[in-house]
Structures are given as structure tokens and as C-alpha cells.
């Protein structure tokens, strides 16, 4: 990774702000307790849930108010603020990846047998539960034990909506849901992802760079010391950017 001129930490002071995505979108084809938005005839209205999350994500991307930096590296800045969705925090990561948005997205896109499980140490298994349409699915993610075993294996069930904006930004928008095909499973603590995801935005004038913004607000569930949770997310988000950068480099090699 690097900054506008690959100038190390200086990019954090001079970083290029990608244009805020406009509301107009075009379709991209996929290769608290869980939400229960009901639709007529029964079942969950996943579209309503996903559209609501996408709007919240746009709001997060436009609002830096109240964020406090909790971790900074040469390539990445992680900040946080109290979540309005649950009792934990909303974490925001920003970094410049030295690759075009499509290459970065290839490593990030939430599909079974995708590249994510190969480079992201926090994703052990990614399963498709139901394909709603060509931009939306319900998926299960399994995470391994972490923090020297203090955090046991978790699983998460989310509706995920993919959008592409007119400026070339690609976004992933997700939140926890219930699905009859994926009840809680033995040996895993069922966690909850509140509205989360990422924006892969082009950097004007730099076609081989991507401004990647990520948002996490995850209730890990179970009984964990708050100090473990508070230290886990910032360090793992910084490592996420580092590992992604390596994965993109390997993809282009």
C-alpha cells in the first residue's frame, strides 16, 4: 500500500478523498437480535433490510463526526465511535491499496470459493445459504478462535447487498439476519454483525490505486472481557489491510 505519492504515513495527512458515491447505482452480478423484517405471505423481506443497511453505510461514509483514532500504521488509519445500533463500537478503517478497484474487489467479494478465505485469517469458512437475486444473498461466515484462544470460534449469518456507483465505487453492505436454513450450530457462538461493509473507491488520477474504507460493528456474543474486544478489532483491522495488500499483489503477479 501507499499514499498519494507512496509517501508512507504522509498519506494520512494528505490522503485523497474519493468522491462520495452518488445515489445512482447500477447492478453488479455476483459470480440486537437478528433482524426480522416481515413481508407479505411470511418470511423475511431481505430486500428491505439490505436497502436500509446500504443507506446507513452511505451515511457512515459521509460522516466522520465523533470518530477517535485508535490505531495508525504507515498505510492504515483505524478509528471508532460509539455505535447507534448496539452497545459496542462502530470501527472505521481507511487505507490506500496499490491496485485498481476491480482487483481489490476480486479479493474482497463475498462469494463461496472466493479469494477472501485464502488471505483473511479471520474468515475460515464462507457459505452461501440463499441467493436472493444477482446482487443480494444470505451467507454464513465462520471465524476461527482468536486472541490466543480467548475468543472461541464464531459464526455469523448475514444478508449481503452489492452495489456499484457511477463513479466506479463498489460497496458491500451487510447485517445480521435469521434464516430457516441456518439455525445456530453446536461448537460455535452465534455472533451478530450490525450494519457493516466496505467501499472500494477509485482514486482520481491514480487508476492503480484504491481508497478502501471499511466499517465493522460486530457483537461477538458470549461472555468476553471488554478489554479483549476493545483491543481485538483495531489490531485485526490494521492486519486486514496489510494482508489484503499482499493478496492483491499476489493476484497481479
Amino acid at each position: 500500500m501507499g499514499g498519494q505519492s507512496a509517501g508512507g504515513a504522509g498519506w494520512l495527512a494528505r490522503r485523497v478523498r474519493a468522491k462520495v458515491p452518488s445515489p445512482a447505482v447500477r447492478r453488479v452480478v455476483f459470480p440486537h437480535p437478528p433482524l426480522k423484517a416481515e413481508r407479505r405471505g411470511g418470511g423475511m423481506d431481505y430486500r428491505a433490510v439490505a436497502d436500509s443497511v446500504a443507506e446507513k453505510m452511505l451515511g457512515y461514509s459521509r460522516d466522520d463526526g465523533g470518530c477517535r483514532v485508535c490505531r495508525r500504521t504507515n498505510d492504515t488509519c483505524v478509528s471508532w465511535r460509539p455505535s447507534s445500533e448496539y452497545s459496542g463500537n462502530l470501527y472505521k478503517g481507511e487505507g490506500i491499496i496499490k491496485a485498481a478497484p476491480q482487483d481489490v474487489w476480486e479479493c474482497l467479494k463475498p462469494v463461496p470459493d472466493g479469494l477472501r478465505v485464502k488471505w483473511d485469517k479471520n474468515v475460515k469458512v464462507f457459505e452461501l445459504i440463499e441467493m436472493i437475486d444477482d446482487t443480494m444473498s444470505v451467507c454464513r461466515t465462520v471465524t476461527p478462535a482468536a486472541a490466543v484462544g480467548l475468543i472461541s470460534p464464531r459464526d455469523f449469518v448475514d444478508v449481503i447487498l452489492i452495489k456499484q456507483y457511477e463513479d466506479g465505487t463498489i460497496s458491500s453492505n451487510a447485517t445480521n439476519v435469521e434464516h430457516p436454513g441456518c439455525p445456530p450450530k453446536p461448537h460455535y457462538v452465534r455472533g451478530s454483525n450490525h450494519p457493516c461493509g466496505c467501499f472500494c473507491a477509485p482514486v482520481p488520477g491514480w487508476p492503480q490505486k484504491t481508497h478502501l474504507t471499511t466499517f465493522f460493528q460486530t457483537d461477538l456474543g458470549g461472555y468476553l472481557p471488554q478489554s479483549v474486544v476493545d483491543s481485538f478489532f483495531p489490531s485485526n483491522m490494521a492486519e486486514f489491510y496489510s494482508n489484503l495488500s499482499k493478496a492483491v499483489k499476489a493476484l497481479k503477479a
Side-chain angles (χ1 to χ4, degrees), residues 8-253:
W11 82 268
L12 291 167
R14 308 187 304 273
R15 67 179 182 269
V16 177
R17 284 289 185 184
K19 182 173 66 176
V20 174
S22 63
V25 299
R26 58 187 175 86
R27 295 169 74 83
V28 180
V29 177
F30 264 120
H32 321 324
L35 298 176
K36 297 181 179 179
E38 297 297 323
R39 64 186 176 196
R40 292 180 182 178
M44 176 172 281
D45 188 348
Y46 293 114
R47 170 58 64 180
V49 172
D51 285 343
S52 175
V53 170
E55 286 300 313
K56 288 181 179 180
M57 289 286 291
L58 270 178
Y60 296 160
S61 71
R62 293 168 173 165
D63 180 15
D64 284 329
C67 284
R68 308 173 196 175
V69 174
C70 56
R71 191 173 184 93
R72 193 188 300 269
T73 71
N74 287 342
D75 307 306
T76 308
C77 180
V78 180
S79 57
W80 70 277
R81 69 185 184 194
S83 171
S84 61
E85 300 289 332
Y86 76 121
S87 60
N89 296 324
L90 167 64
Y91 291 94
K92 176 182 180 179
E94 287 188 277
I96 298 293
I97 309 294
K98 293 180 180 178
Q102 287 292 347
D103 291 330
V104 176
W105 178 247
E106 185 66 25
C107 292
L108 288 173
K109 62 184 180 182
V111 293
D113 302 318
L115 295 178
R116 182 77 176 264
V117 296
K118 298 179 181 179
W119 64 264
D120 189 344
K121 74 169 191 175
N122 290 312
V123 178
K124 185 176 182 180
V125 176
F126 187 84
E127 299 175 337
L128 176 66
I129 304 302
E130 181 181 352
M131 199 73 176
I132 309 301
D133 60 32
D134 61 356
T135 65
M136 183 171 55
S137 60
V138 176
C139 298
R140 174 177 179 253
T141 305
V142 176
T143 62
V148 199
L150 292 175
I151 301 175
S152 59
R154 259 67 176 165
D155 72 345
F156 303 85
V157 177
D158 302 293
V159 60
I160 304 173
L161 175 65
I162 307 305
K163 286 194 169 187
Q164 183 161 342
Y165 296 85
E166 289 182 336
D167 69 345
T169 296
I170 306 170
S171 74
S172 173
N173 312 269
T175 194
N176 69 94
V177 293
E178 287 186 342
H179 192 284
C182 193
K185 300 184 181 296
H187 312 303
Y188 295 99
V189 176
R190 177 62 54 90
S192 297
N193 284 318
H194 296 276
C196 60
C198 68
F199 290 90
C200 294
V203 178
W206 298 91
Q208 289 302 310
K209 289 186 179 181
T210 298
H211 181 199
L212 177 65
T213 306
T214 56
F215 295 96
F216 292 89
Q217 45 184 344
T218 301
D219 182 352
L220 291 171
Y223 299 95
L224 293 171
Q226 191 60 41
S227 59
V228 172
V229 176
D230 291 343
S231 64
F232 174 76
F233 285 106
S235 62
N236 272 267
M237 288 178 68
E239 188 174 10
F240 169 91
Y241 276 81
S242 175
N243 290 341
L244 172 60
S245 183
K246 295 173 185 176
V248 172
K249 185 177 181 179
L251 177 68
K252 296 170 62 180

